[in-house]
Structure formats: C-alpha cells, structure tokens
Amino acid sequence: MSSLLQSGYLSVLEIKTKDELEKHVVRFAQELGFQTVTAMTVIDHFLGEPEFLWIDNAPSGYAPLADDPNWGKRDPVMQHCKHKSVPIIWNQGTYVAAGQAEKWEEQARFGYRHGIGLTLHMPEGRHFMLAVDRDQPLPKDPAVVTQMVAALQLYAVHAQEASTRVLLPAVPPSDAPSLTPRELETLRWTMEGKTAWEVANVLGISERTAVLHANNAMHKLGCVNKHQAVLKALRLGLIR
C-alpha cells in the first residue's frame, strides 16, 4: 500500500484550506487507482433546499452534465448514496439495470465508466459523499476490490471532518445559548415533525423527560414554544 494510503488518513485532518483539501483528495484517489473523485458535503435544511458543497477534479466538459438538476435524480449511484450507507461498486451494468444506459454512455465519454461511491450519514442532517471513478474496470480479484473499498471508507471518515471544517467554517456565535446534547437532539427530532412521545421512543427516554428537554431548550433560547425554538436554533447554527 502506498505511503499516502498509509498516512493520508491522519494528514487530511491537518488541512486548512479548500485548495489543500482538493489536492489531498485527488492525490488519494489517484494513488488508490482512480482518475477522478468527488467529495461532497450535503446539509439538509428544515426550510428550503439542501445545501451542496463539493470539490472534484471532473473534466471541464463534464460540468454541464453534473450541473443539470435532473442528473442526480436519474443517477442510480447518486440515489444509492443518498439513501444507503453501504458502499456501491458500479459499472455499466448498474445503469443498464436502472434503465439509465444512455446516461452511462454520456458520462463514459469523460472517463466515468467504473467506480466506487459511499456516503456517511451523520447527525443534524449532515451527509458526506465520497466517490472515485475511472475508465478501466476494477481488478478481478475480490480481495483487492475489498481493500479499495475499505481504504475509501476509512479515508471518508477522516476527510468528512476536514470537509466540514474547511467548507463550512461558520460556527455558532460565542454568545449563543449552550444547549445539552439531549436538548439539541430533541430539537432536531422536533424539526423532523416528531411528537414528544415519538422523540422519547427515538432517544430511549420517557415522554416526560423529552418534554423537559424541549422546555429547557425553549427557556435557554427565550422562545414561547418548541417550534419557535427550532427556528431560532437553526438561525444560530446550533442545529442543521
């Protein structure tokens, strides 16, 4: 295994700028045996559309395809990564099976013929997708492919921290109220439309305790109801 694959997991944590992150991610993908890579942070918003922040080394001619709003909706790899946590190893057959053979032909012109993609789904509506692609088939030896997937998964765990820090540098104001993890989780699930009873079941606590967490959050945020508290917490950046 190359020196970067051995040391890259920790060195990516030291990155301070977007340019450094892009160079590191691209070099990692290339040493893993892939020509192109996309690292994307997705932030779900309670009000409005999700926020997408990414870096890649896609060919310039590929941009118009990737910028098409319907492109991701038709892409079986993107849809898999959107809804599942397990990695996907894809090729032309993946697109044919999904009825998107023509889409594969379009992207194949730019070298997107085979690849591996995965997404880390994290608390507070954050997601980190890492996808590597190449024009040649993956190795026939299953053990080698398994090693590739494992390396990509381990790298993603470290790269997502750097991506969030570099691409989303904003932090809550220093004078923002300090809410406990349970209070934040209660607001997060309230934002998802859960009742106090449902929040209690999700968190494994009593309904009375769930109501107490919500009331404490409301008091700290100076709000008169839990829905107003959710909106204020979003505005302050305490939850996403």
Side-chain angles (χ1 to χ4, degrees):
M1 186 173 289
S2 73
S3 59
L4 180 61
L5 294 184
Q6 292 175 333
S7 65
Y9 307 118
L10 295 179
S11 61
V12 71
L13 297 177
E14 302 172 1
I15 285 172
K16 296 181 175 60
T17 69
K18 181 178 179 180
D19 286 342
E20 289 178 2
L21 179 61
E22 181 175 334
K23 290 178 181 178
H24 199 285
V25 170
V26 169
R27 183 182 166 199
F28 183 89
Q30 291 175 344
E31 296 229 3
L32 194 60
F34 295 85
Q35 299 147 329
T36 56
V37 59
T38 300
M40 179 187 299
T41 295
V42 183
I43 309 295
D44 292 333
H45 290 296
F46 179 53
L47 301 174
E49 295 296 318
E51 183 178 359
F52 297 89
L53 303 164
W54 71 89
I55 55 175
D56 63 38
N57 65 335
S60 58
Y62 182 72
L65 293 178
D67 292 340
D68 182 348
N70 294 318
W71 186 258
K73 295 178 181 179
R74 294 166 46 212
D75 192 308
V77 176
M78 288 291 291
Q79 289 305 306
H80 172 99
C81 290
K82 179 179 179 180
H83 298 289
K84 299 180 181 180
S85 298
V86 296
I88 180 173
I89 300 171
W90 62 269
N91 53 29
Q92 185 177 12
T94 307
Y95 286 80
V96 172
Q100 296 294 336
E102 182 178 340
K103 186 179 187 306
W104 185 88
E105 294 288 350
E106 290 181 85
Q107 66 185 40
R109 296 186 292 114
F110 300 95
Y112 292 82
R113 295 172 178 267
H114 308 266
I116 306 171
L118 61 90
T119 298
L120 304 178
H121 298 285
M122 298 165 290
E124 299 184 1
R126 292 189 298 115
H127 315 272
F128 180 71
M129 177 183 176
L130 186 61
V132 290
D133 320 276
R134 64 196 224 175
D135 57 5
Q136 296 298 314
L138 270 60
K140 294 183 179 180
D141 186 346
V144 176
V145 175
T146 298
Q147 187 179 36
M148 284 180 164
V149 173
L152 195 66
Q153 287 178 301
L154 186 55
Y155 185 75
V157 171
H158 293 79
Q160 68 83 18
E161 189 281 333
S163 177
T164 299
R165 175 168 44 81
V166 171
L167 301 181
L168 282 170
V171 297
S174 58
D175 59 347
S178 178
L179 273 64
T180 68
R182 279 300 197 194
E183 290 164 357
L184 291 172
E185 280 295 299
T186 298
L187 290 182
R188 169 65 182 162
W189 286 110
T190 299
M191 181 179 70
E192 298 291 343
K194 303 292 186 184
T195 65
W197 180 83
E198 291 172 321
V199 171
N201 282 335
V202 170
L203 299 182
I205 57 180
S206 69
E207 183 176 359
R208 181 179 179 182
T209 302
V211 171
L212 179 62
H213 288 319
N215 287 339
N216 286 342
M218 287 162 46
H219 176 73
K220 291 179 180 179
L221 292 168
C223 298
V224 298
N225 60 56
K226 62 184 181 181
H227 300 295
Q228 185 183 47
V230 166
L231 293 176
K232 187 167 184 179
L234 282 167
R235 189 167 65 251
L236 291 174
L238 297 174
I239 60 174
R240 290 185 178 276

